[in-house]
Amino acid sequence: MTMPDAQTATAAPPPVIHREDYRPPDWLVPDVALDFALDPAATRVTARLSVTRSGAHNRPLRLDGDGLTPLAVRIDGEPQADAWRMDGAALMIDLPGDAHVIETEVEIAPEKNSQLMGLYASGGMLCTQCEPEGFRRITFFPDRPDVLSRYVVRMEADKARFPVLLSNGDRTDGGDLDDGRHWAEWRDPFFKPTYLFALVAADLVANRDSFATRSGKEVELAIWVKPEDLAKTEHAMAALKASMAWDEKAYGREYDLGEFNIVAVADFNFGAMENKSLNIFNSRYILADPDTATDVDYDNVAGVVAHEYFHNWSGNRVTCRDWFQLSLKEGFTVFRDQSFSADQGSAAVKRIEDVRALRASQFPEDAGPLAHPIRPESYMEISNFYTATVYNKGAEVIRMLHTILGADAFRKGSDLYFDRHDGQAATCEDFVTAMEDASGVDLARFRLWYSQAGTPRVTARLEHEPAGGQARLTLEQGVPPTPGQPSKQPMPIPLRVALYGEVTGQTFGGERLVMLEDAHQEILFEGIGERPVLSINRGFSAPVTVVADRSAADLAFLSAQDDDPFARYEAMQQLMVDTLVRAVALGEGDHRPVIEAVQETLRNAALDPAFIAEAVLLPSESFIGDQMPVVDPVAIHLAREALRRDLGQELEDEWRASYAKTHANRYEYTPPAKGLRRLKTVSLGYMAASGAPDASVIAFRQFRDADNMTDRQGALGTLVNSQWAERDEALKLFYDRYRGNDLVIDKWFTTQALSTRDDSVAAVEALAGHGDFTLANPNRVRALVGAFAVNQKGFNDLSGRGYRFLADMVLAVDKLNPQTAAKLIPPLGRWRRFDEARATLMRAELARVLATPGLSKDVFEQASKSLG
Ligand code: B3K
Ligand code: ZN
């Protein structure tokens, strides 16, 4: 007998599910009829499943359940007491024939559902979230994505409380009942897995519109919100119509039903959900008006609306065979939404933003204890794998396919994939095979991107032989070890490369695509008469770290000359990072090259202000930390602030000129106006950093006089980091103005949680006791706790208070909502990157979490893996 370990002393660790154990379903459910007698306190769900045996076997029918008690089980219409049994939470039924009709009845309590998975109540409405495994909290069913069914849904509810009754597909019937109740029937003709089921019962109003598809079909569109929010749905509606048109043009994908509904809810675990024809959204990704939403919010609304709409093909028409294939739909759909957004505005700025996000969330994941390939090999709780790796690195992998194959062959591949797998539950392998078949390009080694975790590190060295006019580019790659993968094979890495003549400023023969396939590779360039400067991984053609050892002068040259906007941005970032890493190591730094490069960029009238704003911003404290062997958050903060101050002081005239130039706008939501607003607040930040005596007045004036949230929040962010007298007044004015508007009050919490002042830990602790703080709403939890955990200075306070606060919050949230609690843990898992004192404190908090009885498997998995 083995002794129980620390975890099993309280409860057995959750079982680990392995990809290689996949087995096709024993039973299929081609048709299902659901009947809901809706009530927040007690909803009766009757399910009628036509089941068919798949293959020759005599295994029972297994219907997953979670917290359900069968009140009745009927087989082919006959009540049965003995033919079924429970296996844990699942219902097992032995069936004699190959096809039967199974009926079950259960009762659930949506208003008690704090996990927000399954059927739950939010702000007086009833709605569902089923992905990945929420359907089993509604009724007994084979709750796996490879069981595809046609649904008929009948629901009834109190008409006054729930006048709107929605489900997937088209509404086919409905009417009034006795006692003030009414009913509706919805039919979805498309086969779909359980995770795409949705139902909404609510008192909402709709912004209605329509869209004519390219084949001339008229689609009724509706965005359902609370009456007071109706005026904030125009942007989402415009984005929806633009997405529908874009998918026809870019991918040849047309919408396939007569209705498309979107419902906004205030309590939601994620951003949004692509349920077939009934998307359910976190309201923060639907509602936008100039007074309450920033430009970033507007962009996010459009991006998420597009993302969920695009899932209709990449996810719904072709779905995933099992959850290990999640990146099949998510990586591809993120790539599609990124491409859509790039087409709507500045493609260069969009690429910079996407790479910034990848580096902020995915690179640390790849370098830490939770690293996993985009197609994971195992999990305890699949909800923990809706990660930046599966989504954002997954999108980079699809982008690399696009780069390697070229746009035309990629499009042939996606057409083949959709045609071949329409109506099926497919795998990542199916996707790569379709790309391979359509293009004729051998992608055998490319598949390593699906199986190997870790960010590859590419070292590049350029040598010039002036006599022979040759340049030799030596490339080396290594993929760092990650949990469970101690050694790696070299990956095929597409690198867009150009060489610039130092004197002429011209490229030698433009750009070329170099495929780095081996651990070591040399590329010879001929006809290079003058000293070349290396521009590499242009457009961020591969999700790798490049170490190119370029001088400050070369980086400054590229930041001013490169004709690839991303490479230009990247050169500036590298110059800043090199300067700051050196300053942290030596305690002082030479700021001159950065100051001159920033000055040159600011003075370049040919550049888009949105690009300038991105280019002159210093890299984040966490990204600087990622470049160092041991992160020293205090030294990084001080070095970064010193550089900010010098930039502010040395270029004071430029910042003032740029502020003046960008200041006098009336609000409009267009790419140029957005760029000006961004540059305005960046300029304000540098004016504040310079210590100019009038900066507080200018910041407060921007805050007070703003005719839009971008300017107002931008100014508030500057004020909040300061010691100025205007700071508290601005926070109070902001709160008073927006009290009761949850999405804006979230910003009030976040702005304070991100403050770089010394008192931020204490402020955040106090905010957790504020009357508006609640653990029940995931947006609010993320606004305060999630934001604070990325505040490098405050969170890593040497007292350990930041770590303790986070662990306390994880434990408190876990009791209500395990999914949201588990997402808070990763910052504590970065302990290996810190000094001994901080690492010890972080480990102690992880250990305290793990020692707590009754943990969810979500939190158990993340905390145990993080502790290592
Ligand atoms: N597919 C959903 C994910 C919901 C998962 C919740 N744990 C959102 C999206 O990627 O579109
Ligand atoms: Zn998605």
Side-chain angles (χ1 to χ4, degrees), residues 169-313:
D170 295 310
R171 187 180 184 279
T172 43
D173 208 348
D176 288 339
L177 297 164
D178 297 338
D179 304 334
R181 289 174 77 79
H182 70 147
W183 69 283
E185 181 194 77
W186 288 75
R187 285 174 186 266
D188 182 358
F190 289 96
F191 282 90
K192 69 167 177 287
T194 48
Y195 82 86
L196 292 173
F197 165 78
L199 171 156
V200 171
D203 186 3
L204 298 173
V205 295
N207 176 357
R208 292 182 185 278
D209 209 322
S210 68
F211 179 83
T213 69
R214 64 174 178 180
S215 68
K217 214 165 41 164
E218 204 65 22
V219 184
E220 302 297 327
L221 311 175
I223 300 182
W224 298 89
V225 294
K226 290 190 275 180
E228 64 268 29
D229 291 331
L230 193 58
K232 297 181 186 162
T233 55
E234 281 310 315
H235 181 61
M237 182 60 88
L240 174 60
K241 291 195 286 183
S243 309
M244 295 177 86
W246 189 89
D247 214 15
E248 292 185 351
K249 195 164 108 297
Y251 282 86
R253 300 293 120 195
E254 195 174 327
Y255 188 63
D256 51 13
L257 277 163
E259 287 193 37
F260 189 83
N261 288 295
I262 290 179
V263 176
V265 302
D267 303 286
F268 204 74
N269 281 340
F270 222 67
M273 179 64 215
E274 70 264 25
N275 316 297
K276 182 79 188 186
S277 76
L278 176 52
N279 287 189
I280 299 184
F281 270 65
N282 185 328
S283 49
R284 71 176 289 203
Y285 294 113
I286 285 294
L287 306 180
D289 72 5
D291 185 47
T292 58
T294 61
D295 292 334
V296 171
D297 294 328
Y298 269 74
D299 290 349
N300 288 341
V301 166
V304 178
V305 166
H307 179 97
E308 306 310 330
Y309 174 73
F310 296 154
H311 267 318
N312 189 54
W313 275 95

Side-chain angles (χ1 to χ4, degrees), residues 534-549:
L534 174 64
S535 171
I536 185 167
N537 206 18
R538 293 154 66 82
F540 202 70
S541 56
V544 301
T545 304
V546 177
V547 184
D549 198 22

